[in-house]
């Protein structure tokens, strides 16, 4: 597992640029959340601020998704920007116990034993970047609502002029029971 950490002592005042190429498993993202294909490229820039270290950067990779219309597998590349603040673990705890409400964006990540671990920061941004309604193509025809055929592979012979009723099957049962009486 590739480490996404850097020591705070190694960051000069003018800042430090760092590049990682990691496998999908290194972000700790479960396959039930999203499937990442191939490596994820991360470029991060660390700079000292008055009360901590600010990190900003970009992550690039490829999602493996399922089209919401036709249920076929598809891929989508992503390039996301991320940013966050790291503070000493003791300061992070003090902020959480203070009385003033804090915005979630302002929640700093802790520096533990002089180590900044950007794994959670990048992971959060990658999960947020997952498309809500992925499509295999912008003009995906989806599935036939009658027979379930993938309409991207050709048309079907279903009668689509008939209104589709969820009670059609029940009507057949009712007719059978009336005919048997």
């Amino acid at each position: 597992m590739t480490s996404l950490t850097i020591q705070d002592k190694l960051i000069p005042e003018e800042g430090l640029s760092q590049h990682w190429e990691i496998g999908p498993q290194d972000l700790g993202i479960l396959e039930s959340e999203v499937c990442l294909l191939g490596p994820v490229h991360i470029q991060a820039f660390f700079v000292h601020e008055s009360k901590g270290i600010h990190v900003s950067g970009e992550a690039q990779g490829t999602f493996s998704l399922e089209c919401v219309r036709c249920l076929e597998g598809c891929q989508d590349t992503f390039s996301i920007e991320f940013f966050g603040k790291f503070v000493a673990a003791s300061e992070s705890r003090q902020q959480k116990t203070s009385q003033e409400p804090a915005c979630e964006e302002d929640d700093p990540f802790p520096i533990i034993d002089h180590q900044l671990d950007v794994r959670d920061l990048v992971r959060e941004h990658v999960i947020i970047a997952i498309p809500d309604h992925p499509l295999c193509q912008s003009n995906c025809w989806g599935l036939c609502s009658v027979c379930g055929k993938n309409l991207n592979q050709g048309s079907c012979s279903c009668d689509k002029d008939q209104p589709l009723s969820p009670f059609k099957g029940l009507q057949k049962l009712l007719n059978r029971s009336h005919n048997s009486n």
Side-chain angles (χ1 to χ4, degrees):
M1 188 189 252
T2 304
S3 173
L4 293 176
T5 60
I6 192 159
Q7 283 193 346
D8 62 353
K9 296 175 183 178
L10 298 178
I11 303 171
E13 288 302 316
E14 64 273 7
L16 177 71
S17 184
Q18 181 71 36
H19 180 265
W20 290 280
E21 184 175 304
I22 62 170
Q25 71 282 359
D26 295 326
L27 281 178
I29 295 178
L30 303 174
E31 278 195 39
S32 61
E33 295 171 313
V34 68
C35 183
L36 294 169
L37 300 176
V40 177
H41 300 274
I42 300 170
Q43 182 69 40
F45 185 72
F46 300 86
V47 65
H48 286 276
E49 288 185 339
S50 60
K51 291 186 177 183
I53 297 172
H54 178 81
V55 60
S56 60
E58 183 177 28
Q60 299 175 336
T62 304
F63 293 127
S64 174
L65 305 163
E66 185 176 85
C67 178
V68 295
R69 291 184 188 162
C70 69
L71 306 178
E72 292 289 327
C74 58
Q75 295 180 5
D76 191 14
T77 59
F78 65 88
S79 180
I80 55 168
E81 292 182 3
F82 60 87
F83 56 90
K85 185 173 183 177
F86 286 82
V87 297
S90 59
E91 288 182 39
S92 178
R93 282 191 289 270
Q94 285 175 353
Q95 274 191 339
K96 290 197 186 289
T97 59
S98 73
Q99 295 299 325
E100 67 182 64
C103 175
E104 205 171 296
E105 290 177 0
D106 296 336
D107 275 351
F109 291 89
I111 300 173
I112 301 171
D113 295 329
H114 300 285
Q115 297 284 323
L116 285 76
D117 188 348
V118 297
R119 180 180 327 280
D120 288 342
L121 173 64
V122 174
R123 179 181 184 278
E124 287 176 7
H125 283 78
V126 168
I127 290 173
I128 290 170
I130 299 169
D132 290 336
H133 301 287
L135 297 175
C136 60
Q137 54 191 4
S138 60
N139 61 347
C140 176
W141 287 92
L143 301 175
C144 172
S145 60
V146 177
C147 70
K149 179 179 179 176
N150 184 341
L151 298 174
N152 294 315
Q153 298 170 354
S155 60
C156 61
S157 58
C158 294
D159 185 9
K160 293 179 183 65
D161 292 334
Q162 292 276 343
L164 188 60
S165 170
F167 301 107
K168 191 174 187 177
L170 292 175
Q171 184 63 47
K172 287 180 185 177
L173 289 173
L174 185 61
N175 290 341
R176 273 192 230 156
S177 68
H178 285 307
N179 292 338
S180 64
N181 289 337

